[in-house]
Amino acid sequence: MADGCIHVYTGSGKGKTTAALGSALRAAGAGMRVFFAQFIKQRRTSEEEALARFPGEIILKRYETGFLRGGAPKEKDLFTMREALKEVRAVLAAGTAELVVLDEILVAVNCGLIKEEEVLELMREKPRPVELVLTGRGATERIIATADLVTEMREVRHYFSSGVKARKGIEY
Ligand code: ATP
Ligand code: MG
């Protein structure tokens, strides 16, 4: 089997999670098994409903924590993250998914919920055939240097700045 690559979708423009979902859809269509992990998010999302329609191909796991910036992470959230990383490592080691998506994991690193080193370790220990996708604003230099593909979504214009709120089916 061909070697899998490591993707990073970062930047402040729209499209990171959407691109990861598109990859999951495409992989499922090709008969690949997908493990799609969502970090941080707490709001119910429409992608949950959509991904649930591919029970044989896509497994969605949500590891929810409070979103924080600046403040110290809560012990409960650090525990959730430790368990999340254990599960992700187990999925990688078991070879039960050909595509593994870690959505918003880079935000978890920025919030101090996950250590940069732990993400680098996951990237290094990725079994060769697995395709790994990491998303979130603010990818660190070392994570960028370790990935095979890095796409930065650059915001040229966003309707949020004109007061358009997040909409179901479009943002969540
Ligand atoms: P998408 O999920 O649409 O592909 P994304 O993954 O690139 O977007 P994130 O950075 O993960 O975007 O943003 C997550 C959510 O945070 C957005 O869907 C939106 O609801 C909210 N958000 C992002 N940018 C802004 C902003 N400038 N103002 C207000 N809310 C924002
Ligand atoms: Mg996102």
Side-chain angles (χ1 to χ4, degrees):
M1 195 182 193
D3 285 359
C5 297
I6 302 180
H7 308 215
V8 165
Y9 305 148
T10 192
S12 55
K14 178 174 169 67
K16 301 171 291 294
T17 297
T18 315
L21 288 165
S23 297
L25 181 70
R26 181 178 281 162
M32 290 162 70
R33 291 161 305 173
V34 179
F35 182 78
F36 200 109
Q38 288 199 311
F39 291 81
I40 313 276
K41 293 193 175 175
Q42 286 182 316
R43 167 137 69 173
R44 297 290 107 194
T45 62
S46 306
E47 57 258 36
E48 277 184 82
E49 309 293 326
L51 297 181
R53 296 180 194 177
F54 298 87
E57 293 85 6
I58 306 179
I59 292 174
L60 173 70
K61 284 301 293 270
R62 292 172 54 105
Y63 304 110
E64 299 182 37
T65 62
F67 184 89
L68 53 123
R69 215 169 257 288
K74 294 195 174 68
E75 185 47 48
K76 168 177 75 65
D77 290 342
L78 291 170
F79 177 79
T80 303
M81 291 295 105
R82 277 197 297 275
E83 293 302 303
L85 289 177
K86 260 190 229 163
E87 280 189 33
V88 169
R89 272 192 218 103
V91 167
L92 285 172
T96 46
E98 286 85 31
L99 172 67
V100 172
V101 178
L102 307 177
D103 187 34
E104 314 297 355
I105 194 167
L106 304 175
V107 175
V109 171
N110 282 323
C111 292
L113 289 163
I114 295 179
K115 291 196 186 76
E116 177 191 40
E117 190 52 44
E118 293 179 292
V119 174
L120 290 166
E121 229 171 87
L122 275 184
M123 294 168 89
R124 288 193 289 261
E125 77 191 27
K126 176 191 86 60
R128 287 181 75 161
V130 175
E131 197 83 14
L132 179 64
V133 174
L134 313 177
T135 90
R137 292 158 186 246
T140 65
E141 286 302 321
R142 291 173 72 206
I143 289 172
I144 286 172
T146 308
D148 300 298
L149 175 148
V150 180
T151 297
E152 182 176 3
M153 308 298 174
R154 184 172 67 89
E155 180 181 332
V156 174
R157 182 174 305 117
H158 200 307
Y159 40 64
F160 282 140
S161 51
S162 337
V164 178
K165 296 274 182 282
R167 290 165 296 161
K168 184 173 163 74
I170 308 296
E171 273 82 35
Y172 66 93

